[in-house]
Amino acid sequence: MAADSSPRNTKRVTITDVARHAGVSTAAVSKVMRNAYGVSPAMQERVRTAMAELGYRPHAAARGMRGRTYTIGVLLDNVRNPFFADILDGIREQLEDSEYTVLIGAAGFGAEDQARTVRAMVDRQMDGLILIAPGTPRSEVLATAAVTPTVVIGHHDTSDAHDSVVDADDLGAGLVVDHLVALGHRDIALVSAAGNKAGRWRRTPEIALADGYLKAMDRHGLSDRARVHHAAYSDDGGHAAGIALLSGEDRPTAILTGADVAALGIYRAAADLGLSIPGDVSLVGYNNTAIASLAPVQLTSVDQAGHTMGATAARMLIERVEGRRDRAMRTTMAPRLIVRRSTAAPGIR
């Protein structure tokens, strides 16, 4: 674990600076910071954007004036991804002997829906937020973190405003490619979420995973065979990707997916096409969720310690909420490849 640091302004930005930058009164800025009733969404957006652009962070004593609610908000895009269950278990276990209650916001994949959920959590004066791979625009997350302690799980972008818990996704992809090449595979495809460019996150888990995959393929002299297929991290997304990749003559002999839940959809697609795993195609997931080890599945997968990620995020958040630390920190998990029966040497076509 290491603290991230970047150059800071020598002159502290004040609420007056924020008001001038936003073109509003200091009273309006104060209302936004206090989540006062009656502040319009447009005013909230205007003031929060100014805070983010100026790097404004209120004094810790000012944050504490409203009192503590002992609630922690967790944002995720859906409840069907079993990896999120691992993270939530870690959060719950870390907080089970405390006074804090965890409230979950399953906001869907849309950036605006996620942003609306985050605003609702702030409006309800939750003491802190844990955002799991948020699609919310980065500027809004930074503005939110300026007034509410926040931990971002997944995204590799660093900031003085929030803490981060990430997996070394590029290394995880490299472990998979090395494993598959050692088995004799050369036509290895990656199925990854497309991500949301409008959010302006520079290094999402999907970007890091694709970078690691492409670099590993290049390291093995296989750049010309690299294929990245974008699909949602869901069973349906994986099924659609599997049909697209496995229907043609040039189908890959191995597929890496960025999530176990998508790998399950590829299992289904292979069965629909009369193909077997690993006889016709080797398959690797990511997250090493409980479903990967089920006897009928036995999915080779990258373990990124979801339970530990959740517990670490909760511990880091409470440190900030309770004023035991005021510098942003980032923790990186080291991935491990768990080999099971879904990978084998390529079959003869």
Side-chain angles (χ1 to χ4, degrees):
M1 180 186 300
D4 287 321
S5 61
S6 59
R8 299 168 183 255
N9 294 329
T10 55
K11 179 179 179 295
R12 186 180 185 90
V13 179
T14 67
I15 190 172
T16 302
D17 297 325
V18 173
R20 187 180 299 114
H21 191 76
V24 300
S25 67
T26 55
V29 176
S30 178
K31 286 182 178 180
V32 171
M33 290 174 59
R34 290 185 287 108
N35 302 308
Y37 178 77
V39 179
S40 70
M43 178 65 75
Q44 290 183 27
E45 176 69 18
R46 192 170 181 177
V47 172
R48 286 173 175 162
T49 298
M51 288 178 177
E53 291 175 349
L54 294 177
Y56 174 73
R57 302 194 63 201
H59 192 276
R63 281 199 198 113
M65 289 175 63
R66 69 179 186 181
R68 200 171 294 164
T69 63
Y70 294 96
T71 54
I72 300 298
V74 179
L75 176 80
L76 45 82
D77 54 38
N78 74 96
V79 295
R80 296 184 181 276
N81 189 333
F83 180 58
F84 294 162
D86 291 346
I87 293 175
L88 290 170
D89 277 347
I91 294 171
R92 179 196 56 77
E93 186 173 293
Q94 181 67 29
L95 298 178
E96 64 182 352
D97 293 327
S98 74
E99 297 180 77
Y100 293 93
T101 297
V102 176
L103 300 177
I104 299 169
F109 294 101
E112 181 53 37
D113 289 337
Q114 290 194 22
R116 189 180 302 112
T117 300
V118 170
R119 292 172 199 146
M121 291 176 171
V122 173
D123 289 345
R124 284 156 179 77
Q125 298 189 347
M126 294 186 181
D127 292 325
L129 305 177
I130 296 175
L131 312 181
I132 304 177
T136 309
R138 185 167 187 257
S139 60
E140 180 143 1
V141 171
L142 294 177
T144 298
V147 294
T148 303
T150 300
V151 179
V152 175
I153 294 180
H155 293 334
H156 294 250
D157 301 58
T158 58
S159 170
D160 285 339
H162 62 75
D163 292 328
S164 303
V165 179
V166 302
D167 179 66
D169 299 294
D170 51 346
L171 297 181
L175 291 175
V176 174
V177 173
D178 290 348
H179 167 65
L180 293 171
V181 169
L183 290 173
H185 292 277
R186 297 295 180 268
D187 293 308
I188 303 166
L190 169 66
V191 172
S192 170
N196 177 13
K197 293 182 180 179
R200 297 190 180 278
W201 293 90
R202 294 187 299 273
R203 194 160 178 81
T204 62
E206 296 80 25
I207 291 173
L209 188 73
D211 283 352
Y213 160 77
L214 293 171
K215 287 177 181 176
M217 292 291 282
D218 181 63
R219 189 172 69 246
H220 289 287
L222 301 173
S223 291
D224 60 331
R225 303 194 185 193
R227 274 189 276 180
V228 179
H229 186 95
H230 291 134
Y233 285 160
S234 64
D235 180 79
D236 287 343
H239 182 265
I243 294 295
L245 287 169
L246 300 176
S247 294
E249 290 286 329
D250 62 340
R251 70 172 187 259
T253 63
I255 299 174
L256 160 64
T257 69
D260 287 352
V261 65
L264 295 182
I266 293 177
Y267 258 110
R268 187 159 59 88
D272 290 347
L273 296 170
L275 302 175
S276 68
I277 295 174
D280 295 300
V281 59
S282 285
L283 182 62
V284 182
Y286 212 98
N287 307 144
N288 193 38
T289 54
I291 202 166
S293 62
L294 292 176
V297 179
Q298 285 296 294
L299 177 68
T300 295
S301 186
V302 177
D303 188 346
Q304 54 179 147
H307 185 280
T308 303
M309 291 180 85
T312 301
R315 176 180 52 76
M316 293 169 72
L317 184 63
I318 298 307
E319 288 175 357
R320 296 293 289 273
V321 169
E322 297 185 346
R324 288 182 268 136
R325 176 170 53 82
D326 61 4
R327 290 191 63 194
M329 299 184 71
R330 173 167 132 164
T331 298
T332 300
M333 302 293 163
R336 295 183 305 128
L337 181 65
I338 309 300
V339 178
R340 299 189 178 93
R341 292 200 300 267
S342 67
T343 52
I348 299 175
R349 293 184 182 176

